[in-house]
Amino acid sequence: MTDIVPPTADEMREIIAAHQGLEGPLLPILHAMQDTFGYVPEDAVALIADALNQTRAEIHGTISFYHDFRRAPAGRHVLKICRAEACQAMGGAQLAAATLGKLGVDWHGTNANGAVTVEPVYCLGMCACAPAAMMDDRVAARLDEAGMGELLAEAGA
Amino acid sequence: MKIYVSRDSAAKAVGADRVATAIEAEAIRRGEQIEMIRTGSRGMVWLEPLVEIDRGEGRMTFGPVAPGDAAALLDGTLEGHGPTEEIPFFARQTRLTFARCGVIDPLDLDAYAAHGGLAGLRRALEMTAEDIVEEVKTSGLRGRGGAGFPTGIKWDTVRKAEAEQKYIVCNADEGDSGTFADRMIMEGDPFTLIEGMAIAGLAVGATKGYVYLRSEYPDAIAVMRAAVELGRRKGVLGGDILGSGRAFDMEIRAGAGAYVCGEETSLLNSLEGKRGVVRAKPPLPALEGFLGKPTVVNNVISLATVPVIFEKGAQHYADFGLGRSRGTATLQIAGNVKYGGLFETAFGLPLGEIVEEIGGGTATGRPIKAVQIGGPLGAYFPPEKFDTLFGYEEFDANDGLIGHAGITVFDDSADMLSMARFAMEFCAVESCGKCTPCRIGAVRGVETLDRIAAGEADALPLLTELCDTMTDGSLCALGGLTPYPVMSAVRDFPDDFARHKEAAE
Ligand SMILES: Cc1cc2nc3c(=O)[nH]c(=O)nc-3n(C[C@H](O)[C@H](O)[C@H](O)COP(=O)(O)O)c2cc1C
Ligand code: SF4
Ligand code: FES
Ligand code: FES
């Protein structure tokens, strides 16, 4: 999913230019960076600051505010497990604990073979078919340990 | 033969795509002609993957269907639930906002129009801005995002503001656990939101709209983007909407995983590309909103309800409901419940009827212990309070709130001290950091609850004090309302706080 070769300044400038004309272009730029490279590269900060006429501290501040943006590449897949109330009501906390244990990681951690990074998420809108998780952009619900095992196997974890 | 399978992400999350593929493959194997239509959700999530078949006698429901059921389904030997609209869960509803959801292909604009779509916008195009606002006031519509502010009054403020540019911003951040109505309508009937935003634009003189849609909903983002694209091509959006010479266009923007960005001023900061910190009010967003311009910020369901108000007339809508809660509530029945899903009905049902009769009790078959209404900032209700009627004032009078109408059921295995701790933890994780009572208080709250769990009974008054400080000293409802779930747990489930004490002794 992620590219190990760091992106070039030109690639990043192209992304910035594609969104610069929007009203409030910063989040669309950051999302496009992360969609393309898997993370928001450190070198992008100065380029974005320059293009948007903001300070680097402002851009840093915005990036760090949001749970979505990562500063370094994740594993090949990102698994988001719902921790919120409706999933808890259906055993979500136990499922999350079992999954973390199986992968040998804590929240935000990446498993040993680099296949999966696990993140907490607070509701996926699957509250009537809980518990739920999302592998990259694909949601899975009514999960049990077997269902989670299938997701992990597909991801190569 | 027509076959309908939902493309709603909850349906897909439990295998609807695999079921649709299996049915198509089976039809090809038999050389049988079928027309497969991928719709939004009928709201009966417990029956997903739900398949409807129309052999010329109306739509019949089957579900949950497994891919292996394809042959029996086409043979006509699979046991089903009969005509969809006669299933009690469906038949008991009053579907206004969700009238088309699950019925049509969400991206078929002709089907949309054939089922009443665009009639409201056409009517609004013939009205003055003042009359449009008046119609919304008459409907009694109140904000469905949580605060319940009258939508018409908000629109009137923006209408009267003088500015070259005004905006309609749709709050599609839907961060509350137990809620999915916004997601379901955006995935299942996106044009109703687009139409509602266009009407709002006509009402206040705004030509540009944004939908701030949480990144946790990639399917909804994709459907909304496709619908906006199609709307532009077909002249529903753009410089000349429906050939009227009037302009309205919109964009879909993805959030970035911050719960607090559902708060309207935080949302506006985020949309502008800033940290999603809450702004002090005044100024109201209605006067100084997006980029400092007058802005309507409304929840998805508020805006998506506007078309039916104009299609059927404000009075038709206002005739449903209870007290000052007019029209329908789009209940989301969730958590540990047998019949979970979306249930649209006039305000006024008793909570107990919603969870026990409509919801069928718990999925595990154990007794209901608690029901959280209104998401992570909503109170936990014990069965003793099940006679509370579903309405803004009625819940307020019982130390609760209806919020975005999410209803999360817990069975008797739930530990309310853990739930209180989670509420504090969530507040700590999601705090925007602006106020000390919220940022620091929530962390203290987690610690205090851990002390109570460890048997320190004298920590309980401390928790109460902390909650009072958060209630009084927080700028927004994240810090201000986190005490609701916490204190309702303490108040109504004292055993869970005392038991820990005994265990430690
Ligand atoms: C912490 C917090 C989170 C909120 N989240 C949402 C949300 O996800 N969706 C929403 O429509 N309103 C949310 N609100 C309420 C909004 O601030 C605002 O009242 C609403 O968008 C107004 O629209 P309405 O009048 O149509 O309800 C939230 C408020 C707070 C304090
Ligand atoms: S109460 Fe919490 S989330 Fe709300 S403004 Fe204050 S610090 Fe931010
Ligand atoms: S609480 Fe987990 S999907 Fe809503
Ligand atoms: S900082 Fe003043 S109210 Fe929060």
Side-chain angles (χ1 to χ4, degrees):
Chain A
M1 207 181 100
T2 49
D3 211 330
I4 308 128
V5 189
T8 66
D10 279 347
E11 286 175 294
M12 292 190 279
R13 281 204 191 91
E14 204 175 302
I15 289 176
I16 296 168
H19 299 90
Q20 206 171 343
L22 300 174
E23 294 179 310
L26 183 52
L27 258 59
I29 289 172
L30 295 174
H31 272 303
M33 292 273 177
Q34 183 145 317
D35 287 348
T36 313
F37 310 122
Y39 66 110
V40 181
E42 181 55 37
D43 292 349
V45 174
L47 296 175
I48 298 171
D50 235 24
L52 302 188
N53 239 327
Q54 292 185 32
T55 66
R56 288 160 67 160
E58 282 172 316
I59 307 296
H60 267 297
T62 303
I63 296 173
S64 64
F65 183 86
Y66 297 98
H67 300 301
D68 273 7
F69 300 125
R70 51 179 72 255
R71 315 299 304 274
R76 289 187 292 283
H77 300 278
V78 176
L79 174 68
K80 294 183 176 165
I81 306 177
C82 180
R83 289 197 61 208
E85 289 89 340
C87 283
Q88 289 188 44
M90 289 301 282
Q94 292 82 331
L95 179 66
T99 308
L100 291 170
K102 189 169 161 187
L103 291 171
V105 298
D106 206 340
W107 291 113
H108 313 292
T110 303
N111 77 327
N113 76 4
V116 184
T117 300
V118 187
E119 300 283 357
V121 68
Y122 298 92
C123 196
L124 293 164
M126 298 290 127
C127 328
C129 47
M134 181 155 79
M135 186 68 87
D136 301 325
D137 267 359
R138 234 181 72 222
V139 193
R142 236 178 254 156
L143 278 172
D144 51 15
E145 282 193 45
M148 185 65 91
E150 277 172 41
L151 285 185
L152 294 177
E154 277 171 39
Chain B
M1 177 170 30
K2 286 185 179 171
I3 299 188
Y4 302 84
V5 180
S6 169
R7 54 172 290 176
D8 180 273
S9 56
K12 294 199 289 185
V14 296
D17 283 345
R18 286 195 299 276
V19 170
T21 307
I23 295 170
E24 278 171 330
E26 178 65 20
I28 289 170
R29 205 182 60 77
R30 303 167 171 226
E32 198 167 335
Q33 281 290 331
I34 62 163
E35 187 188 346
M36 171 77 70
I37 298 151
R38 298 302 297 267
T39 62
S41 170
R42 285 281 200 173
M44 296 182 279
V45 178
W46 86 94
L47 289 179
E48 297 287 0
L50 183 157
V51 176
E52 286 175 277
I53 299 192
D54 188 346
R55 291 187 155 93
E57 289 153 9
R59 289 161 73 157
M60 307 286 170
T61 285
F62 300 84
V65 177
D69 295 332
L73 190 72
L74 293 183
D75 284 342
T77 56
L78 192 70
E79 206 183 320
H81 307 276
T84 307
E85 300 191 356
E86 289 172 25
I87 296 173
F89 186 94
F90 199 91
R92 290 179 74 170
Q93 298 186 48
T94 299
R95 288 209 151 207
L96 297 176
T97 309
F98 277 78
R100 280 174 298 264
C101 192
V103 177
I104 61 168
D105 170 349
L107 292 171
D108 182 344
L109 194 53
D110 295 330
Y112 179 73
H115 286 83
L118 299 179
L121 178 57
R122 282 186 214 285
R123 184 172 158 231
L125 279 165
E126 304 291 316
M127 296 164 72
T128 65
E130 208 170 342
D131 288 345
I132 296 175
V133 170
E134 211 44 53
E135 186 80 356
V136 176
K137 284 186 185 166
T138 305
S139 75
L141 179 66
R142 291 167 71 179
R144 301 290 190 243
F149 189 81
T151 305
I153 294 176
K154 186 184 286 187
W155 288 18
D156 216 16
T157 309
V158 180
R159 182 184 71 83
K160 288 180 179 146
E162 297 277 349
E164 290 153 39
Q165 181 70 57
K166 301 179 186 177
Y167 295 99
I168 308 298
V169 171
C170 172
N171 188 342
D173 203 48
E174 197 166 61
D176 289 359
S177 168
T179 70
F180 46 83
D182 297 353
R183 180 188 63 65
M184 203 173 261
I185 200 86
M186 290 189 289
E187 292 180 6
D189 194 18
F191 288 112
T192 194
L193 175 57
I194 292 173
E195 184 179 349
M197 288 178 71
I199 295 172
L202 295 173
V204 305
T207 52
K208 180 88 209 218
Y210 290 95
V211 179
Y212 185 91
L213 213 172
R214 68 200 298 257
S215 60
E216 293 85 343
Y217 286 177
D219 287 77
I221 292 174
V223 175
M224 282 305 303
R225 288 202 167 130
V228 166
E229 216 25 71
L230 193 66
R232 279 188 197 133
R233 275 210 311 277
K234 303 266 175 128
V236 175
L237 291 170
D240 181 23
I241 54 176
L242 301 178
S244 65
R246 311 283 296 275
F248 187 78
D249 208 345
M250 57 192 278
E251 270 176 51
I252 310 303
R253 289 289 176 87
Y259 174 75
V260 74
C261 285
E263 195 284 332
E264 57 185 4
T265 61
S266 161
L267 184 154
L268 292 169
N269 275 335
S270 184
L271 203 56
E272 290 176 7
K274 299 176 187 149
R275 296 165 66 88
V277 175
V278 173
R279 298 177 185 170
K281 286 187 262 190
L284 290 173
L287 298 174
E288 288 179 44
F290 184 54
L291 302 172
K293 299 290 191 292
T295 303
V296 168
V297 184
N298 270 138
N299 172 253
V300 173
I301 298 299
S302 311
L303 289 162
T305 299
V306 167
V308 74
I309 290 172
F310 282 78
E311 179 198 343
K312 306 232 155 134
Q315 198 54 50
H316 178 82
Y317 190 78
D319 283 344
F320 296 97
L322 166 78
R324 296 211 295 117
S325 308
R326 307 314 313 167
T328 54
T330 51
L331 306 177
Q332 297 130 87
I333 307 175
N336 192 336
V337 68
K338 199 165 168 198
Y339 306 130
L342 187 122
F343 191 95
E344 183 175 356
T345 184
F347 281 96
L349 284 185
L351 178 59
E353 188 176 329
I354 296 168
V355 295
E356 278 166 339
E357 285 177 40
I358 297 163
T362 64
T364 44
R366 304 171 66 105
I368 296 179
K369 175 164 180 176
V371 180
Q372 186 179 34
I373 301 98
L377 308 178
Y380 286 99
F381 276 56
E384 294 76 52
K385 285 186 170 180
F386 278 4
D387 57 353
T388 309
L389 300 181
F390 207 87
Y392 293 99
E393 282 70 28
E394 291 70 18
F395 266 70
D396 189 50
N398 272 295
D399 298 315
L401 50 92
I402 62 175
H404 188 44
I407 297 171
T408 303
V409 180
F410 293 79
D411 74 9
D412 62 355
S413 67
D415 172 38
M416 301 314 291
L417 192 153
S418 303
M419 297 320 297
R421 184 188 191 280
F422 178 80
M424 284 291 190
E425 187 188 353
F426 181 73
C427 181
V429 171
E430 298 296 338
S431 170
C432 84
K434 193 162 180 162
C435 332
T436 314
C438 169
R439 189 184 67 240
I440 308 291
V443 178
R444 294 275 173 280
V446 173
E447 294 165 3
T448 311
L449 280 154
D450 283 343
R451 287 178 50 197
I452 298 170
E456 290 184 44
D458 58 347
L460 205 51
L462 215 68
L463 183 70
T464 309
E465 233 172 84
L466 197 60
C467 281
D468 287 343
T469 311
M470 287 175 74
T471 305
D472 296 339
S474 298
L475 183 58
C476 87
L478 181 50
L481 294 181
T482 292
Y484 263 54
V486 175
M487 291 315 294
S488 63
V490 171
R491 206 172 42 235
D492 288 322
F493 305 91
D495 289 356
D496 283 7
F497 292 78
R499 202 168 53 230
H500 289 266
K501 199 166 36 186
E502 283 157 21
E505 268 160 13

